[in-house]
């Protein structure tokens, strides 16, 4: 009876049947990311000043909560409580929507850079407002990526577009470059939002919501220069030592990454070359049709056929332009993103190996220590836990990444195949109609010549 009474009270208050147990997440209060919801678990600059206090950043509610994203505390603001109710009513729906748009050029006496507007709409309880609008530059995205790697060294962080494009491909700050980067930054943020762990990172939340001065202040709270140098030295030392006994599953993972990197880089190079040749072909075709029109002016007997050929070339030219647009928007960005992913994966494996190398060095040092008061055994225990957590995180994220990669690659190549079929069908129909009209014309002329 007592158990039934407690269960009834829990249901009426919105708590689990066990009540607000101190060991349960949030003391029994639901929070984003908990409960196994699959839908939820799922600027260029000149390298100068990073201070952005002079940039205006807008937020419908600029206040930031001090608690961590995983904090079990119930939000205290009325709007946050409303957001929490919305979240609980629709637990299986996407609750974080991010848009990157409206790039803006900023010119100062020492640098030129681009900022992008980021609009965030959410029903999550840890946010104080349901909508935020901020402006960020490329350096801010780099900072976020670094913080995610620091907090989650063996999770697969989505890649950012390169700081500079390949020389000769596109000029800095022209419209094509800016639009390509905008799309890549949009995908970067949305991949983080869809990640079951990264989406609740506190630095990610601050990136989406903080005003310029708040973000700048938050950046300065990180480890100092000497601390970062010490971490770098230790990482280099670990990498120099190497890993003596890498587990077999990670050996297989590393082999896959090396092979995947080779193949995807080759596909990327060939795809870029094909696209370049297609553009050259398209440029030639644009000049090819008008030549036939000019020719027809001096060939009275060939006027009709020359104009028909020019018309067919013009239609094929438009079909080619559409096909190139499909390649440039569907295939090339996906392939190149996974080129960048392959580099990220190598970095993840290196960080995992560094963690294990640190453990191996402590174990080795212990064999030469004979005093009972030595703190090494306790350090080794902590490092063993750290290695286990790192390995488990990577294994779980690896399967998720592979599934996403396979889906993305399949979709990209399927779209390319459909685009090619449609393109060749259009060109074939164009020239078949030309031949049909010419055949009918010959038949009419032949019938008129008969007595």
């Amino acid at each position: 009876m007592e158990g039934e009474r407690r269960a009834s009270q829990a249901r009426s208050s919105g708590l689990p049947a066990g009540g607000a147990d101190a060991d349960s997440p949030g003391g029994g209060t639901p929070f984003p990311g908990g409960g196994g919801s699959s839908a939820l678990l799922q600027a260029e600059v000149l390298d100068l000043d990073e201070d952005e206090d002079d940039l205006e950043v807008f937020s419908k509610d600029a206040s930031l909560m001090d608690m961590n994203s995983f904090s079990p505390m119930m939000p205290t603001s009325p709007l946050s409580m409303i957001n929490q109710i919305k979240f609980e009513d629709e637990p299986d729906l996407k609750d974080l929507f991010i848009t990157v748009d409206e790039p803006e050029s900023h010119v100062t006496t020492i640098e030129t850079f681009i900022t992008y507007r980021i609009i965030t709409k959410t029903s999550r309880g840890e946010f104080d407002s349901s909508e935020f609008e901020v402006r960020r530059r490329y350096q801010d995205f780099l900072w976020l990526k670094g913080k995610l790697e620091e907090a989650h060294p063996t999770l697969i962080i989505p890649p950012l577009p390169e700081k500079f494009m390949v020389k000769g491909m596109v000029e800095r700050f022209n419209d094509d470059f800016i639009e390509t980067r905008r799309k890549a930054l949009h995908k970067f943020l949305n991949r983080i939002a869809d990640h079951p762990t990264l989406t609740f990172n506190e630095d990610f939340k601050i990136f989406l919501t903080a005003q310029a001065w708040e973000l700048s202040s938050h950046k300065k709270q990180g480890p100092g220069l000497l601390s970062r140098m010490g971490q770098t030295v230790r990482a280099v030392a670990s990498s120099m030592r190497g890993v003596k006994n890498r587990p077999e599953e990670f050996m297989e993972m590393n082999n896959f990454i090396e092979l995947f990197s080779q193949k995807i880089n080759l596909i990327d190079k060939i795809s870029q070359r094909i696209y370049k040749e297609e553009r050259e072909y398209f440029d030639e075709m644009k000049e090819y049709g008008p030549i036939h029109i000019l020719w027809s002016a001096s060939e009275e007997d060939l006027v009709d056929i020359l104009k028909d050929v020019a018309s067919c070339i013009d239609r094929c030219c438009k079909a080619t332009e559409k096909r190139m647009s499909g390649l440039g928007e569907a295939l090339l960005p996906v392939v190149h993103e996974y080129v960048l992913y392959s580099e990220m994966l190598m970095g993840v494996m290196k960080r995992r190996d560094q963690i294990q190398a640190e453990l191996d060095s402590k174990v080795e040092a212990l064999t030469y220590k004979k005093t009972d008061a030595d703190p090494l055994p306790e350090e080794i225990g902590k490092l063993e836990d750290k290695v286990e957590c790192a390995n488990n995180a990577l294994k779980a994220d690896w399967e998720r990444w592979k599934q996403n990669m396979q889906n993305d690659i399949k979709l990209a190549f399927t779209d390319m195949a459909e685009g090619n079929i449609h393109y060749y069908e259009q060109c074939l129909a164009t020239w078949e109609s030309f031949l049909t009209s010419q055949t009918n014309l010959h038949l009419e002329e032949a019938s008129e010549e008969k007595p």
Side-chain angles (χ1 to χ4, degrees):
M1 290 296 291
E2 177 63 22
E4 293 178 0
R5 184 180 65 81
R6 290 182 63 191
S8 176
Q9 290 176 342
R11 284 193 296 270
S12 65
S13 62
L15 295 172
D21 187 81
D23 295 331
S24 64
T29 302
F31 64 94
S37 173
S38 60
L40 295 179
L41 292 185
Q42 293 230 290
E44 194 66 48
V45 295
L46 301 180
D47 285 328
L48 297 171
D49 188 12
E50 290 188 10
D51 190 357
E52 295 183 21
D53 292 351
D54 59 329
L55 293 184
E56 185 176 6
V57 183
F58 306 92
S59 171
K60 291 193 174 179
D61 190 337
S63 61
L64 293 174
M65 299 177 67
D66 293 330
M67 64 181 183
N68 187 276
S69 304
F70 291 97
S71 172
M73 295 174 61
M74 174 67 79
T76 55
S77 70
L79 185 53
S80 292
M81 297 177 70
I82 294 173
N83 289 343
Q84 183 78 8
I85 295 172
K86 290 180 183 177
F87 178 80
E88 293 169 359
D89 289 341
E90 301 176 341
D92 295 327
L93 299 180
K94 183 178 174 70
D95 65 346
L96 187 61
F97 300 88
I98 303 172
T99 304
V100 179
D101 60 13
E102 293 191 8
E104 241 179 50
S105 178
H106 299 260
V107 180
T108 69
T109 56
I110 59 173
E111 63 176 339
T112 300
F113 58 92
I114 306 295
T115 63
Y116 301 84
R117 183 178 72 165
I118 301 173
I119 296 178
T120 303
K121 297 182 180 181
T122 183
S123 58
R124 290 186 182 177
E126 68 264 30
F127 287 84
D128 273 353
S129 179
S130 60
E131 184 172 343
F132 297 86
E133 180 177 321
V134 299
R135 295 201 73 87
R136 298 286 184 254
R137 61 189 291 184
Y138 185 77
Q139 283 183 349
D140 298 325
F141 287 87
L142 280 176
W143 170 82
L144 174 61
K145 175 175 168 288
K147 296 299 288 185
L148 293 175
E149 290 176 349
E150 179 184 318
H152 311 282
T154 56
L155 290 185
I156 302 171
I157 312 299
L160 275 173
E162 298 98 328
K163 189 172 183 60
F164 299 104
M165 298 293 289
V166 178
K167 185 177 181 181
M169 291 291 292
V170 66
E171 296 179 14
R172 287 182 67 202
F173 300 147
N174 74 6
D175 292 342
D176 290 339
F177 173 83
I178 293 172
E179 178 61 14
T180 298
R181 166 158 290 180
R182 183 199 65 77
K183 290 178 180 178
L185 296 177
H186 175 87
K187 179 173 283 190
F188 170 74
L189 293 182
N190 278 276
R191 284 200 183 277
I192 296 173
D194 293 337
H195 193 282
T197 301
L198 300 178
T199 187
F200 297 110
N201 179 273
E202 182 68 11
D203 290 307
F204 180 49
K205 174 188 165 189
I206 290 173
F207 176 90
L208 296 176
T209 62
Q211 294 188 25
W213 66 268
E214 290 176 302
L215 183 63
S216 179
S217 175
H218 184 73
K219 287 180 179 181
K220 295 173 183 176
Q221 293 175 7
L225 177 60
L226 292 177
S227 176
R228 292 198 301 270
M229 288 178 62
Q231 293 173 1
T232 303
V233 170
R234 287 194 296 272
V236 171
S238 297
S239 63
M240 292 292 289
R241 285 192 296 268
V243 179
K244 295 180 179 179
N245 298 305
R246 180 190 284 165
E248 181 64 28
E249 58 190 321
F250 295 111
M251 288 292 294
E252 294 176 359
M253 195 180 293
N254 193 68
N255 292 337
F256 176 93
I257 293 170
E258 290 179 354
L259 185 60
F260 176 79
S261 178
Q262 294 173 6
K263 301 305 181 185
I264 199 68
N265 272 279
L266 187 58
I267 291 292
D268 184 52
K269 291 178 181 178
I270 295 174
S271 299
Q272 293 287 352
R273 188 165 65 242
I274 290 174
Y275 183 77
K276 182 180 178 182
E277 292 172 354
E278 285 277 352
R279 177 162 291 282
E280 292 172 352
Y281 171 69
F282 171 70
D283 291 338
E284 294 290 343
M285 282 189 71
K286 287 193 296 184
E287 298 180 8
Y288 194 40
I291 292 175
H292 290 77
I293 298 294
L294 293 174
W295 186 13
S296 67
S298 59
E299 292 284 351
E300 185 176 344
D301 294 336
L302 296 176
V303 170
D304 292 337
I305 191 169
L306 288 174
K307 287 186 176 180
D308 286 347
V309 169
S311 176
C312 290
I313 292 173
D314 182 62
R315 279 182 278 172
C316 289
C317 190
K318 291 178 179 177
T320 302
E321 185 176 23
K322 186 175 181 181
R323 177 178 177 233
M324 288 176 54
S325 177
L327 285 173
E329 294 180 4
L331 179 64
L332 298 185
V334 173
V335 172
H336 192 68
E337 182 188 23
Y338 279 96
V339 169
L340 301 178
Y341 256 125
S342 69
E343 298 171 2
M344 292 293 298
L345 289 168
M346 291 178 182
V348 170
M349 289 300 297
K350 185 178 293 185
R351 290 193 291 273
R352 193 219 73 84
D353 288 349
Q354 288 170 355
I355 295 172
Q356 185 179 336
E358 188 177 359
L359 171 62
D360 292 343
S361 68
K362 294 293 184 183
V363 172
E364 185 177 350
L366 183 62
T367 60
Y368 299 100
K369 299 286 185 179
K370 297 182 179 180
T371 59
D372 296 335
D374 195 281
L376 277 177
E378 183 179 350
E379 292 181 27
I380 289 174
K382 292 179 180 179
L383 282 172
E384 286 175 341
D385 292 341
K386 186 177 180 180
V387 169
E388 183 178 3
C389 289
N391 289 345
N392 290 338
L394 177 52
K395 285 187 286 187
D397 218 23
W398 174 254
E399 293 303 322
R400 177 185 175 277
W401 176 84
K402 281 187 70 175
Q403 186 62 54
N404 287 342
M405 179 271 291
Q406 291 167 3
N407 292 339
D408 290 343
I409 295 295
K410 286 178 182 177
L411 181 61
F413 284 121
T414 300
D415 288 345
M416 179 193 70
E418 291 177 350
N420 285 341
I421 291 171
H422 185 62
Y423 167 74
Y424 288 114
E425 283 179 343
Q426 276 187 301
C427 293
L428 180 62
T430 295
W431 291 111
E432 281 182 340
S433 66
F434 168 77
L435 289 177
T436 300
S437 65
Q438 291 301 312
T439 300
N440 292 337
L441 182 61
H442 288 318
L443 291 175
E444 289 176 6
E445 291 176 350
S447 62
E448 290 175 359
E449 290 177 357
K450 288 183 180 181

